[in-house]
Amino acid sequence: MLKVSDFDHIPVLLYPTVDALNVRPGGIYVDCTAGGGSHSAEIARRMRGQGILVSIDKDDAALAACMERREAFEGINWMPVKSDYRDIDDIIRSLKIGKVDGIMADLGVSSYQLDTAERGFSYMKNGPLDMRMDPNEWLTAAEVVNKYSRDDLERIFREYGEERHAGRIADGICERRRTKPFSRTTELAAAIKEYMPGHGSGEDQHPAKRCFQAIRIEVNHELSGLESLLQDGIRKLKPGGRFAVISFHSLEDRIVKEAFRSAESPCTCPRDFPVCVCGKKSLGTVITKKPIEPTEEEIEINPRSRSSKLRVFERNDNEQYN
């Protein structure tokens, strides 16, 4: 079994996130991305031996490390669950919990996943083209890179990676794979760099970063899962319950921002209507009008936190959409 000591992961925005949840003893909390259990452990510490904590992850290694952390806390009903956070509604129903006091999600890839070459997430480490959060799923990065059509590759690079050279890179990949399919991460990263104008010499980051992000999102269906999590999670909060989400790139952040904004102001009536006739009522309040970002000190300790943003929503007592 993988141990906490093996699951090397520095949590991002740890205290701002748990602070935002207003954790209290006896409450019910859900960590939708358990990772190695760092955020879950801090939530458990503040629960002071009372309440229920559900830690969800679809990575077996992450859950194994999380379960080891659980041994240090007595009194709390801490339940690790292997699942996808898109299924939060089914998970909570199956546990017969009802409404919860707080939900959090850290949408980043863990340091363990990035640093373990065999997982295939990193363009800096030589490993198989995998990128599956759940190794039991069938779709891999190799399948995407070698089997997707040229147009589909361009689409995911442009939409999920916001890569301005998406078409050119897709052309290069399709030309290369005709004679030799891609199988290794560093092989693909080098090819992407080669296909970019000037071989990516003007980039502030590795030229393959955006395309690797796009492939990872496609393999794990991350954005559609996030939309389901946000929609269902808000409805599972008790009045006064909070939802805290850490995002790492603009696509995720826009989805979180829009979901929270729509829950706060769902009215679809034209602006010039004197009164609301659509009947849609606010579900709560966006606590973070601007996202919380890491301090310079945190960025220095953990450079991977640089792009992170935390947004928080608080549920009201409107029961309209429960």
Side-chain angles (χ1 to χ4, degrees):
M1 176 181 290
L2 183 138
K3 299 180 178 180
V4 170
S5 56
D6 300 322
F7 200 98
D8 180 25
H9 178 57
I10 304 174
V12 172
L13 292 168
L14 173 61
Y15 297 115
T17 302
V18 181
D19 287 347
L21 292 177
N22 288 339
V23 177
R24 61 177 179 80
I28 304 173
Y29 299 91
V30 181
D31 181 353
C32 295
T33 48
S38 297
H39 285 99
S40 286
E42 181 60 22
I43 293 170
R45 186 182 70 79
R46 300 189 191 194
M47 293 171 72
R48 301 181 184 276
Q50 304 173 53
I52 298 173
L53 173 58
V54 180
S55 298
I56 303 168
D57 210 296
K58 55 185 179 181
D59 188 320
D60 290 314
L63 279 179
C66 187
M67 289 176 71
E68 186 188 351
R69 283 189 187 272
R70 181 179 61 172
E71 296 174 4
F73 296 89
E74 296 181 358
I76 298 172
N77 186 4
W78 185 347
M79 297 179 284
V81 176
K82 182 179 180 181
S83 189
D84 191 314
Y85 57 53
R86 72 170 63 233
D87 298 321
I88 186 170
D89 184 63
D90 291 338
I91 294 167
I92 291 176
R93 287 179 186 275
S94 68
L95 296 174
K96 296 180 172 56
I97 288 176
K99 298 298 180 65
V100 305
D101 295 283
I103 300 172
M104 69 144 291
D106 175 351
L107 305 179
V109 180
S110 72
S111 300
Y112 169 80
Q113 290 167 328
L114 286 172
D115 293 338
T116 303
E118 291 75 19
R119 299 299 299 270
F121 285 99
S122 175
Y123 45 81
M124 301 295 291
K125 296 180 180 292
N126 186 21
L129 276 174
D130 195 322
M131 300 194 196
R132 290 173 295 176
M133 299 287 190
D134 181 354
N136 295 316
E137 293 291 332
W138 70 271
L139 183 62
T140 66
E143 185 77 13
V144 171
V145 172
N146 293 312
K147 300 292 180 63
Y148 273 32
S149 70
R150 183 264 177 210
D151 289 347
D152 281 341
L153 285 176
E154 179 181 5
R155 173 184 58 79
I156 67 169
F157 292 157
R158 193 175 305 282
E159 292 182 7
Y160 299 160
E162 300 180 298
E163 172 56 66
R164 62 185 182 278
H165 303 300
R168 184 167 179 164
I169 295 170
D171 287 337
I173 287 175
C174 290
E175 180 65 27
R176 155 68 187 276
R177 74 188 188 188
R178 290 192 183 99
T179 55
K180 184 183 178 184
F182 291 91
S183 63
R184 309 294 292 181
T185 52
T186 50
E187 173 190 29
L188 176 62
I192 291 171
K193 182 177 180 179
E194 178 184 343
Y195 303 146
M196 295 183 72
H199 302 308
S201 58
E203 295 284 325
D204 294 331
Q205 59 190 12
H206 193 289
K209 181 176 181 178
R210 290 183 294 272
C211 289
F212 267 61
Q213 170 187 296
I215 295 167
R216 190 200 78 224
I217 290 172
E218 176 69 13
V219 167
N220 296 288
H221 312 293
E222 292 178 30
L223 298 187
S224 61
L226 175 58
E227 290 169 349
S228 297
L229 168 64
L230 294 167
Q231 180 177 356
D232 293 338
I234 288 172
R235 288 158 173 74
K236 286 298 180 184
L237 291 171
K238 295 178 181 178
R242 288 192 170 185
F243 199 160
V245 182
I246 305 168
S247 63
F248 287 82
H249 56 78
S250 59
L251 287 173
E252 291 174 338
D253 184 55
R254 282 200 296 270
I255 291 172
V256 176
K257 180 180 179 180
E258 177 59 25
F260 286 173
R261 186 204 65 78
S262 295
E264 180 181 57
S265 305
C267 178
T268 56
C269 296
R271 290 181 179 273
D272 58 352
F273 272 31
V275 295
C276 173
V277 296
C278 73
K280 295 181 179 179
K281 305 299 183 182
S282 174
L283 296 179
T285 304
V286 178
I287 301 300
T288 48
K289 301 306 179 184
K290 291 185 177 181
I292 297 171
E293 299 182 355
T295 62
E296 289 300 321
E297 181 181 8
E298 178 170 0
I299 293 171
E300 184 176 351
I301 295 171
N302 181 15
R304 288 172 178 166
S305 70
R306 182 177 300 277
S307 63
S308 61
K309 294 182 178 182
L310 170 65
R311 294 188 185 271
V312 184
F313 181 86
E314 182 175 290
R315 182 68 195 264
N316 62 18
D317 59 1
N318 177 20
E319 298 294 317
Q320 178 182 8
Y321 297 118
N322 292 335

